[in-house]
Amino acid sequence: ILFVHWQWDFSMNIIDLLTLIATIALSIAIVYLTKILDHKDLIRNMLIEDFDELCNVYRSNSEIIQRLNSGEIDIETAREEIKMTFHKGDLLIDCLRKEINESFPNFKKSNDVNLIELTSKYYKWLTDGDLMKNNFQVTLEFQKGHETILRNTLTTIKLVSHKLVKSA
């Protein structure tokens, strides 16, 4: 009969122990950081989609004006559709404000951003201007003015979106 005698050696090299601990710590940190970054990317992408949707809502006013110009709709229908467009925009702005406050509270503090104020110039131009007069006609001058103020508003919205992406 052969007896094997086991002897356990509990002496350990301190460098091997530290390497093992560092490897375990790095593995946990990588998994944790990956989840955090994926979560921030998801939130950031969701906000970017909402900013794009807001731009598209305001772009729809150009289509309404084109339909009015071509005679597809009358002036009252155009006015109601434009008012609804701004209502949709206000709802999206409210949603964006809540999302930014929840997910990026430091962005709000470091960037004095009020989307309602940024879009109010466009709103006032379109709803307080010639469009609301009784004898309104779509002219080339009106279309140019509308496209100019619309593009300025969309640029402002996009710049806020870019600032958010850079800060996140």
Side-chain angles (χ1 to χ4, degrees):
I1 298 181
L2 185 60
F3 288 98
V4 178
H5 183 280
W6 290 91
Q7 183 176 2
W8 294 90
D9 183 14
F10 289 104
S11 62
M12 184 179 276
N13 184 346
I14 191 73
I15 293 176
D16 290 340
L17 178 63
L18 291 175
T19 304
L20 176 65
I21 292 171
T23 302
I24 292 170
L26 283 173
S27 299
I28 292 170
I30 288 173
V31 169
Y32 180 72
L33 289 174
T34 303
K35 286 183 180 181
I36 288 174
L37 292 175
D38 286 346
H39 181 68
K40 279 205 169 204
D41 286 344
L42 178 71
I43 292 170
R44 188 178 60 217
N45 290 340
M46 185 175 63
L47 284 168
I48 290 170
E49 287 176 12
D50 287 345
F51 276 112
D52 288 343
E53 184 180 352
L54 180 62
C55 289
N56 289 333
V57 164
Y58 289 138
R59 279 187 195 104
S60 69
N61 283 334
S62 290
E63 296 168 14
I64 294 167
I65 292 169
Q66 288 301 328
R67 289 177 31 227
L68 175 63
N69 191 33
S70 68
E72 290 178 43
I73 58 175
D74 63 10
I75 188 69
E76 287 305 316
T77 304
R79 288 175 182 155
E80 291 303 314
E81 287 185 18
I82 286 171
K83 287 177 186 175
M84 182 55 85
T85 297
F86 283 111
H87 177 68
K88 289 177 185 176
D90 288 347
L91 294 174
L92 270 168
I93 287 171
D94 190 47
C95 177
L96 279 163
R97 187 177 62 242
K98 289 176 183 176
E99 290 173 341
I100 291 170
N101 286 341
E102 178 65 31
S103 300
F104 302 100
N106 292 335
F107 176 78
K108 185 74 171 168
K109 292 175 188 171
S110 64
N111 295 286
D112 187 25
V113 176
N114 184 340
L115 288 172
I116 293 287
E117 287 178 14
L118 298 177
T119 59
S120 65
K121 185 176 179 182
Y122 175 53
Y123 172 79
K124 288 177 184 176
W125 186 90
L126 196 55
T127 61
D128 290 345
D130 293 339
L131 182 66
M132 297 303 163
K133 293 180 182 173
N134 288 335
N135 57 355
F136 174 76
Q137 294 292 317
V138 178
T139 63
L140 184 59
E141 182 181 320
F142 176 82
Q143 289 176 323
K144 285 180 180 178
H146 177 256
E147 287 302 314
T148 300
I149 196 154
L150 173 63
R151 294 294 165 203
N152 289 339
T153 302
L154 297 179
T155 299
T156 303
I157 293 169
K158 288 179 182 180
L159 286 174
V160 171
S161 176
H162 289 288
K163 285 180 184 179
L164 180 68
V165 168
K166 284 173 45 177
S167 74

